[in-house]
Amino acid sequence: MSAITTHILDTSRGRPATGVKITLWQRSNEDDWDLIAQGTTDEDGRVSDLLPSDVAVTVATYRLRFAVGSYFCSRGEKTFYPYADIVFQVDEPTEHYHVPLLLNPFGYSTYRGS
């Protein structure tokens, strides 16, 4: 399993958000980010293999970008957000980081999962 995982629940439907493209970035300095992984949510709204096994998690700031605008467009729904970014800090590289997204067309929230 990837050291960084995520899942998305579409709270407007009470169902997982499938087919959402996700990118994972690592901050390299104040203004620059390096793309280190990408994936798409499965039928359960999860991406459990996001980070390739040859990429080590280090103490750093990371950003998950969820292409939620495309997801809602594919469902024929309007949304306020073209994408949702979650920026988080890894302080313990040996731990697992699960970062869920609770989503609806006009809002979202997140938390550190387990």
Side-chain angles (χ1 to χ4, degrees):
M1 178 187 296
S2 171
I4 298 173
T5 57
T6 189
H7 78 270
I8 307 173
L9 177 64
D10 181 342
T11 59
S12 65
R13 299 176 45 240
R15 308 285 307 156
T18 62
V20 178
K21 293 182 189 216
I22 299 170
T23 53
L24 176 63
W25 303 77
Q26 184 177 20
R27 189 171 170 182
S28 55
N29 65 48
E30 187 65 31
D31 297 320
D32 293 322
W33 295 86
D34 297 325
L35 177 65
I36 60 171
Q38 52 191 345
T40 304
T41 56
D42 63 16
E43 64 280 347
D44 198 32
R46 296 182 181 275
V47 179
S48 57
D49 61 351
L50 181 61
L51 196 62
S53 59
D54 64 337
V55 177
V57 174
T58 61
V59 173
T61 301
Y62 293 85
R63 177 179 70 199
L64 282 166
R65 174 166 280 183
F66 301 83
V68 298
S70 298
Y71 165 75
F72 284 113
C73 183
S74 73
R75 301 187 50 72
E77 298 178 47
K78 292 188 177 196
T79 182
F80 185 66
Y81 302 102
Y83 57 85
D85 282 350
I86 301 173
V87 178
F88 61 98
Q89 179 69 38
V90 168
D91 293 323
E92 295 292 335
T94 59
E95 291 185 10
H96 175 249
Y97 289 83
H98 185 64
V99 187
L101 179 67
L102 303 175
L103 175 68
N104 70 65
F106 299 99
Y108 62 90
S109 65
T110 185
Y111 57 96
R112 180 171 179 189
S114 57

